[in-house]
Amino acid sequence: MRLISIPSRPLKIPSAIIISNHGMLKPQNRDEINLHLHSHIPLLELRIRLIFELAVEGTSGGRKELINRRGTTSITAKLRKYLSSDDGTCKSRVEIFGYPCENHSVTTKDGYILSLQRIPRGRTGDSSKGNKGPVLLQHGLFMDGFAWLVNSPSQSLGYILADHGYDVWIANGRGTVYSLGHTSLSSSDSAYWDWSWDELAAYDLPATIDYVYQQAGHQKIHYVGHSQGTLTVLASISEQNLVNRLRSAALLCPIAYLNQIPSLFMHAAARIYLGEQLYWLGVAQLNPTGSVVNTFLKTVCLLTGFDCYDLLTIITGKNCCLNSSSVQLFLDHALQSTSTKNIVHLSQTMRSTALTKYDYDDEAKNMAHYGQKTPPVYNMSRIPNDFPLFMSYGKEDLLADVNDVAHLLEIIDHHNRNDLAVQLLGDYAHLDFIMAENASQLVYKPLMDFFNRY
């Protein structure tokens, strides 16, 4: 294992989402939050239910309409614009910088129609870079493929890889604006949103990788995942899937275990079962820019006493090196929906020391789905020892916590040292890895050096 450590320097805090400023004292540590929440959970659950009931009644048509729609938010005029073939990612974000771009789609075994964008070469067409083969970029939670293209061509990984001779494929997970199709369901149906990251690992990832593999003339694929995009590939290869299609995997902010997550905000949300409350109220789709999520966030702030003025920092950590205009572009265009069931699954992972499939919290339902009373465990130690892995994470990250990553590294300690490179950046937080102005040198250059070995 090669360890690369980059020291800290003074942080630059970008502008971010402003939710509210309660002026309350923040809980000082996780034990304090646990003690406070444990003694007040029945009251908190009642208050949460009342708040969301009021929010539901405040929607057009009230609770009945919300239950019928199961939380589905209508597509705004802006999203309708981006759904059109003339205004998709290729036209609006890639071709304007002189890169060739293609739109593709793939259908999963469970019927979801996913879109992909392909940047087959750099904008200069310089053949001296050679054909380094296909690379697939998989975004994280509440994002889509746009996240890989937020900065300028000299700073965004999607463009950089293309300029260095890679055949770049950008995935868009189910439920995002370009991947709302299904062979039999409408995205306004509750059944459309009946999935968690289990399905992303079991269906979306294999379908996408197999499609790219076929399109690239059966060349094995380099994979780059961020956040949830690392969780799904780790889960899949731990079950011995995909390894015959992949050359390597680069994991930015690697997530497997979440029980040591230091974000008190996220810890509090999981501890008082806010995701489950939404699910029980019939909210199937979680739109980060919608009114239900706004109420969800304000509820956490209110009930925990957090000062939520800078919510981006509270959730992701103190990102050091973001450009404020890029942050605004990200907030305007890259934020995407996920399923409430997915949030519940992630919350279950935060409350457990094990990484398991979705727990239906009912022995009979677990038995029906898994043939056992408890959900099966994803065993990270079963990742093939010789599978090339590049991991890059930051000390300031509140989601991919250094202790959780250390736990993952302990579990795969048997991994061949020559096939595992680990990079720790002293001042990076969660979003720096896809948006930092200096990521091209600090993260992407070492990443491509790793790829060049395979």
Side-chain angles (χ1 to χ4, degrees):
M1 177 175 68
R2 298 188 308 154
L3 180 63
I4 308 167
S5 182
I6 298 178
S8 299
R9 62 175 178 272
L11 300 175
K12 297 181 293 181
I13 308 301
S15 60
I17 306 172
I18 296 176
I19 297 296
S20 62
N21 190 354
H22 302 298
M24 298 181 180
L25 293 175
K26 299 180 183 179
Q28 295 302 307
N29 55 59
R30 193 182 319 196
D31 290 338
E32 183 180 331
I33 267 197
N34 276 332
L35 179 63
H36 175 76
L37 295 180
H38 181 73
S39 61
H40 293 88
I41 278 181
L43 178 60
L44 289 173
E45 288 183 346
L46 176 60
R47 291 175 68 183
I48 291 165
R49 183 167 291 275
L50 287 172
I51 288 171
F52 281 115
E53 290 284 357
L54 290 172
V56 167
E57 292 302 326
T59 63
S60 176
R63 180 177 176 83
K64 181 177 181 181
E65 179 184 343
L66 187 63
I67 293 298
N68 289 338
R69 295 187 296 126
R70 301 285 293 189
T72 300
T73 305
S74 60
I75 299 174
T76 65
K78 181 169 67 174
L79 294 187
R80 287 195 186 95
K81 174 185 176 184
Y82 287 130
L83 279 172
S84 73
S85 60
D86 292 336
D87 293 295
T89 298
C90 278
K91 292 290 186 184
S92 67
R93 196 64 192 162
V94 181
E95 293 176 1
I96 60 172
F97 292 116
Y99 291 85
C101 189
E102 303 169 3
N103 286 303
H104 293 255
S105 65
V106 60
T107 302
T108 67
K109 287 185 178 180
D110 57 346
Y112 289 82
I113 302 171
L114 313 177
S115 75
L116 298 95
Q117 282 74 51
R118 180 190 188 190
I119 309 175
R121 60 186 178 278
R123 56 181 165 181
T124 64
D126 184 358
S127 59
S128 66
K129 298 291 185 181
N131 178 9
K132 297 182 180 177
V135 57
L136 176 66
L137 306 183
Q138 181 63 59
H139 60 81
L141 180 68
F142 289 131
M143 302 179 191
D144 69 356
F146 189 95
W148 301 106
L149 306 167
V150 171
N151 283 348
S152 69
S154 64
Q155 296 175 337
S156 295
L157 184 59
Y159 306 118
I160 291 170
L161 288 169
D163 284 333
H164 281 78
Y166 289 94
D167 179 10
V168 179
W169 294 78
I170 301 175
N172 299 277
R174 65 176 66 185
T176 61
V177 68
Y178 298 122
S179 298
L180 288 171
H182 192 279
T183 55
S184 61
L185 298 172
S186 166
S187 61
S188 62
D189 299 331
S190 62
Y192 176 91
W193 299 96
D194 186 19
W195 50 266
S196 79
W197 59 262
D198 280 337
E199 283 71 30
L200 304 184
Y203 298 114
D204 288 25
L205 204 54
T208 301
I209 286 174
D210 190 61
Y211 180 83
V212 173
Y213 180 77
Q214 300 296 333
Q215 291 290 312
H218 298 87
Q219 295 183 76
K220 284 192 172 184
I221 303 161
H222 290 297
Y223 177 92
V224 183
H226 174 247
S227 190
Q228 183 179 260
T230 70
L231 173 61
T232 53
V233 76
L234 285 169
S236 196
I237 61 179
S238 74
E239 296 186 325
Q240 311 300 306
N241 299 322
L242 307 180
V243 291
N244 63 333
R245 293 283 194 268
L246 295 177
R247 294 168 70 178
S248 69
L251 312 178
L252 309 182
C253 309
I255 285 180
Y257 304 96
L258 290 171
N259 63 298
Q260 299 184 78
I261 190 169
S263 170
L264 297 182
F265 182 93
M266 299 301 291
H267 183 71
R271 187 70 181 87
I272 57 181
Y273 292 79
L274 274 182
E276 284 82 351
Q277 294 285 350
L278 284 167
Y279 195 69
W280 296 329
L281 281 171
V283 179
Q285 174 191 358
L286 212 56
N287 180 348
T289 62
S291 60
V292 172
V293 171
N294 188 265
T295 302
F296 173 97
L297 295 173
K298 286 182 177 180
T299 300
V300 177
C301 297
L302 176 65
L303 299 182
T304 62
F306 282 107
D307 180 350
C308 293
Y309 180 80
D310 187 356
L311 193 59
L312 199 64
T313 295
I314 288 175
I315 294 175
T316 69
K318 295 179 180 179
N319 298 280
C320 70
C321 308
L322 307 187
N323 178 286
S324 59
S325 61
S326 294
V327 171
Q328 193 57 55
L329 185 66
F330 172 80
L331 296 176
D332 287 344
H333 300 287
L335 290 178
Q336 299 290 325
S337 293
T338 190
S339 72
T340 305
K341 185 176 180 180
N342 190 36
I343 297 300
V344 171
H345 193 182
L346 290 168
S347 298
Q348 291 173 354
T349 306
M350 290 174 59
R351 295 190 296 264
S352 173
T353 58
L355 181 65
T356 72
K357 295 183 184 291
Y358 183 85
D359 188 353
Y360 287 88
D361 200 29
D362 181 283
E363 289 185 356
K365 290 181 180 179
N366 281 335
M367 184 66 71
H369 281 88
Y370 309 123
Q372 59 187 60
K373 294 180 180 180
T374 57
V377 173
Y378 288 105
N379 186 351
M380 294 292 109
S381 68
R382 296 187 67 240
I383 294 173
N385 295 347
D386 59 350
F387 183 79
L389 288 173
F390 174 91
M391 296 190 189
S392 185
Y393 63 112
K395 286 185 178 180
E396 296 294 326
D397 196 335
L398 296 183
L399 296 176
D401 176 50
V402 292
N403 294 312
D404 283 326
V405 176
H407 181 49
L408 171 62
L409 290 172
E410 288 175 3
I411 291 175
I412 63 171
D413 184 60
H414 58 281
H415 211 86
N416 292 351
R417 292 299 183 259
N418 291 333
D419 295 315
L420 176 63
V422 179
Q423 179 190 50
L424 176 62
L425 284 80
D427 60 351
Y428 262 37
H430 206 67
L431 293 180
D432 284 312
F433 288 87
I434 56 171
M435 292 171 56
E437 293 179 302
N438 56 4
S440 60
Q441 288 299 314
L442 297 187
V443 182
Y444 307 154
K445 186 180 184 302
L447 181 154
M448 289 188 292
D449 288 343
F450 183 79
F451 282 174
N452 288 339
R453 294 165 48 193
Y454 300 95

